[in-house]
């Protein structure tokens, strides 16, 4: 087969977080600049790019099935793996049948430089750096895929949480310059996109690494102040921010901002201080309560989402019930529940007190049930109120869906004229599927 690719189609599949989606979009634009046509992953393409994740065990397993799916559509296609899993376990990915190229943390944004070197007849190529070399910043944002854009403002993490591989996969904490973030926000605005979601690994750490070292002149508060002035962006949403980095000044600013919406997603991980210590989190549950209390004090209708891990080594029944009761009594809106899975090269993987997988699954089910109750109670508290919905593009069984500013998911009868429009509505009733229906 030719060692040079003459054809011009490429497809992308993204596993994992909002940050990965923003980076996939940036990589896709680099292909388009080289003359490639982007097609859906289900369609025949000459190159398939899979942006991997390694936060959960499930993401690792899904990779093989995605490669197989691409090979079934076009067995002669080139399949390229990038992202966190590609950095952590490049040889493991390279061993998967059908994978031609594996690119680590520093190489994924140079992907088009490798295109003319590809050949199906050669062994799988692996280009993966030592993670210490991942000390430069590449700005990213997603556009054209959805109603909202994910804008990357920060990458990497300096925290040493005992369960987490992200510092090994993405390197040290570093930030985009404020000037570049503002320019990307303006570019998004020019595309007619109404909402930007700020994303990164640890966005509350924004500013650090602005100059390629630990020196910086801006903070996360400076960032939100500046972004709130961008013309044309109706909504700005903070994706996920550590409780110890979410300062009262930021909460107060968001409560009176032009574009920032009343929605915070704040990782907790455990509602028990002993477990938080074993996880090497940088706060205790008392600080978490303070943050939630402050938010609700200045924004009573604010939506608050919580990340929580079940089955961490040493988590006894008492520890779990401590977390369950803590969350049950907290004025929050929904949970993202993660079942702990062992990760190579993490401190937690060597800890005693391994929780049986059946127990992990049971605890996960209990917290997911609590999340359903919490979300329902939050939605019920919003009925009868007037909110603004940003309608999305998909026709779902005759309905159009969207989110209010405070992240209530709503639906009404399909009307293509509403797509990507902001509409003021009264929240009427909760439907059988749990969404609020506009009558």
């Amino acid at each position: 087969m030719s060692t040079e690719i003459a054809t011009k189609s490429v497809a992308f599949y993204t596993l994992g977080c909002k940050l990965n989606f923003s980076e996939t979009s940036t990589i896709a634009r680099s292909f388009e600049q080289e003359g490639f046509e982007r097609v859906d992953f289900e369609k025949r393409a000459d190159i398939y790019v899979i942006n991997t994740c390694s936060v959960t065990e499930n993401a690792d397993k899904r990779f093989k099935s995605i490669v197989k799916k691409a090979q079934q559509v076009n067995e002669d296609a080139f399949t390229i793996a990038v992202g966190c899993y590609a950095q952590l376990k490049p040889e493991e990915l390279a061993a998967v049948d059908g994978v031609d190229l594996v690119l680590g943390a520093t190489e994924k944004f140079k992907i088009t430089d490798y295109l003319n070197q590809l050949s199906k007849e050669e062994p799988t190529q692996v280009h993966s750096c030592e993670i210490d070399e991942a000390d430069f910043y590449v700005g990213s944002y997603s556009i054209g895929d959805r109603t909202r854009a994910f804008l990357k403002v920060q990458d990497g993490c300096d925290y040493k949480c005992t369960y987490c591989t992200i510092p090994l996969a993405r390197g040290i904490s570093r930030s985009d310059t404020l000037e570049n973030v503002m320019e990307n926000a303006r570019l998004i605005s020019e595309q007619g996109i109404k909402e930007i979601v700020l994303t990164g690994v640890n966005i509350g750490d924004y500013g650090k690494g602005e100059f390629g070292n630990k020196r910086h002149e801006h903070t996360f508060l400076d960032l939100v102040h500046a972004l709130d002035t961008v013309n044309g962006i109706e909504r700005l949403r903070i994706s996920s921010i550590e409780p110890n980095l979410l300062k009262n000044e930021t909460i107060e600013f968001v409560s009176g901002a032009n574009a920032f919406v009343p929605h915070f997603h704040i990782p907790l991980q455990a509602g028990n201080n002993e477990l938080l210590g074993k996880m090497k989190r940088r706060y205790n549950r008392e600080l978490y309560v303070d943050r939630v209390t402050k938010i609700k004090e200045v924004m009573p209708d604010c939506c608050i989402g919580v990340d929580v891990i079940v089955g961490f080594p040493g988590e006894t029944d008492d520890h779990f019930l401590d977390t369950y009761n803590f969350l049950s009594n907290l004025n929050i809106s929904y949970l993202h529940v993660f079942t702990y899975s062992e990760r190579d090269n993490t401190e937690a993987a060597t800890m005693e007190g391994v929780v049986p997988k059946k127990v992990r699954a049971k605890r996960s089910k209990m917290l997911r049930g609590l999340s359903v109750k919490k979300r329902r109670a939050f939605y019920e508290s919003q009925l009868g109120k007037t909110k603004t919905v940003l309608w999305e593009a998909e026709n779902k069984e005759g309905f159009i869906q969207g989110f209010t500013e405070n992240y209530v998911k709503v639906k009404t009868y399909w009307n293509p004229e509403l797509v990507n429009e902001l509409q003021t509505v009264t929240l009427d009733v909760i439907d059988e599927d749990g969404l609020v229906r506009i009558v």
Side-chain angles (χ1 to χ4, degrees):
M1 184 165 177
S2 167
T3 56
E4 187 168 342
I5 294 172
T7 44
K8 295 283 186 181
S9 60
V10 61
F12 297 86
Y13 197 105
T14 305
L15 290 161
C17 61
K18 296 179 177 72
L19 180 56
N20 270 8
F21 276 99
S22 74
E23 292 183 342
T24 296
S25 284
T26 296
I27 292 167
R29 286 192 291 276
S30 72
F31 273 90
E32 288 163 2
Q33 287 162 8
E34 295 290 330
F36 282 79
E37 177 193 3
R38 182 176 181 179
V39 298
D40 290 342
F41 198 83
E42 293 73 26
K43 294 184 178 175
R44 185 180 178 86
D46 301 294
I47 298 176
Y48 292 94
V49 179
I50 304 169
N51 194 354
T52 64
C53 167
S54 196
V55 169
T56 65
E57 194 175 16
N58 189 40
D60 291 2
K61 289 176 179 174
R62 285 183 64 195
F63 176 77
K64 287 182 183 177
S65 65
I66 296 161
V67 173
K68 190 175 181 182
K69 186 190 295 185
Q71 291 289 296
Q72 286 170 342
V73 179
N74 181 8
E75 64 179 9
D76 294 324
F78 289 94
T79 302
I80 305 173
V82 301
C84 291
Y85 192 10
Q87 175 62 37
L88 288 172
K89 297 192 174 179
E91 301 300 337
E92 197 171 292
L93 289 192
V96 174
D97 189 37
V99 175
D100 300 290
L101 178 64
V102 179
L103 298 178
T106 62
E107 290 82 12
K108 61 189 172 188
F109 293 109
K110 307 171 192 169
I111 190 169
T112 55
D113 294 349
Y114 293 92
L115 298 183
N116 290 334
Q117 304 171 22
L118 292 176
S119 170
K120 289 297 283 186
E121 294 163 6
E122 294 177 2
T124 303
Q125 294 183 38
V126 175
H127 298 275
S128 181
C129 66
E130 292 298 319
I131 199 59
D132 292 349
E133 296 170 27
D135 58 358
F136 57 90
Y137 186 86
V138 177
S140 303
Y141 59 88
S142 70
I143 210 165
D145 311 278
R146 44 189 79 206
T147 307
R148 64 189 63 83
F150 297 136
L151 173 57
K152 173 182 167 184
V153 299
Q154 183 273 344
D155 200 351
C157 189
D158 291 341
Y159 286 11
K160 297 290 186 282
C161 300
T162 55
Y163 54 82
C164 187
T165 58
I166 295 298
L168 299 174
R170 286 187 169 270
I172 60 171
S173 180
R174 55 210 189 272
S175 307
D176 207 348
T177 63
L178 188 59
E179 181 183 27
N180 200 46
V181 172
M182 295 295 284
E183 177 59 23
N184 284 339
R186 283 189 282 269
L187 289 170
I188 292 168
S189 172
E190 288 169 8
Q191 301 294 317
I193 288 175
K194 303 284 200 312
E195 180 175 315
I196 290 176
V197 182
L198 302 186
T199 186
V201 175
N202 188 355
I203 64 173
D205 213 22
Y206 175 81
K208 192 187 284 185
E210 231 179 320
F211 300 100
N213 51 33
K214 295 303 176 193
R215 189 170 65 85
H216 63 93
E217 61 182 59
H218 296 110
T219 64
F220 184 72
L221 183 62
D222 294 332
L223 176 72
V224 296
H225 272 277
L227 283 170
D228 202 49
T229 66
V230 176
N231 290 328
I233 296 298
E234 303 281 346
R235 286 182 175 179
L236 287 155
R237 199 178 293 275
I238 298 168
S239 61
S240 180
I241 184 166
E242 294 284 307
N244 52 304
L245 296 174
L246 177 57
K247 306 299 185 188
N248 284 343
E249 295 87 348
T250 302
I251 294 169
E252 286 164 2
F253 177 76
V254 167
S255 72
N258 295 318
F260 277 91
V261 295
H263 175 207
F264 290 97
H265 193 93
I266 314 169
L268 171 67
Q269 312 308 11
N272 173 274
N273 283 340
E274 184 184 341
L275 282 183
L276 288 173
K278 286 185 72 176
M279 291 176 171
K280 291 190 178 174
R281 302 293 286 161
R282 299 194 178 193
Y283 54 87
N284 56 26
R285 71 185 211 162
E286 287 75 21
L287 181 140
Y288 200 94
V289 171
D290 285 348
R291 293 295 176 268
V292 171
T293 302
K294 177 65 178 179
I295 290 167
K296 287 296 187 176
E297 182 185 299
V298 296
M299 291 173 276
D301 286 346
C302 187
C303 180
I304 302 175
V306 182
D307 286 342
V308 61
I309 295 170
V310 297
F312 186 80
E315 183 187 64
T316 63
D317 286 343
D318 286 346
H319 287 142
F320 172 71
L321 288 172
D322 208 14
T323 292
Y324 187 95
N325 292 329
F326 177 75
L327 289 166
S328 184
N329 294 322
L330 205 57
N331 193 0
I332 50 133
S333 314
Y334 64 90
L335 306 173
H336 282 175
V337 183
F338 297 89
T339 303
Y340 172 77
S341 58
E342 285 76 4
R343 282 285 172 264
D344 291 344
N345 302 314
T346 60
E347 197 177 329
T350 63
M351 287 181 179
E352 295 179 354
V354 173
V355 178
K357 294 204 170 178
K358 280 187 177 179
V359 177
R360 298 183 208 183
K362 180 183 175 185
R363 291 174 182 173
S364 176
K365 188 176 180 180
M366 285 178 67
L367 281 181
R368 290 177 201 278
L370 179 62
S371 181
V372 170
K373 291 177 187 173
K374 285 286 186 181
R375 194 185 295 270
R376 176 84 184 199
F378 177 63
Y379 281 14
E380 285 177 351
S381 76
Q382 299 303 298
L383 293 181
K385 295 184 178 180
T386 300
K387 298 293 176 186
T388 304
V389 178
L390 177 57
W391 295 109
E392 297 179 351
E394 201 175 340
N395 183 340
K396 294 193 174 180
E397 299 176 353
F399 286 91
I400 188 170
Q401 297 182 355
F403 285 95
T404 63
E405 61 270 45
N406 63 337
Y407 214 56
V408 175
K409 194 170 189 180
V410 302
K411 67 179 192 179
T412 193
Y413 293 110
W414 171 255
N415 178 354
E417 293 179 7
L418 288 177
V419 171
N420 200 33
E421 292 297 322
L422 286 155
Q423 183 184 32
T424 302
V425 300
T426 299
L427 303 185
D428 294 314
V429 294
I430 300 176
D431 223 343
E432 292 174 1
D433 57 6
L435 305 190
V436 173
R437 183 161 53 87
I438 310 302
V439 178

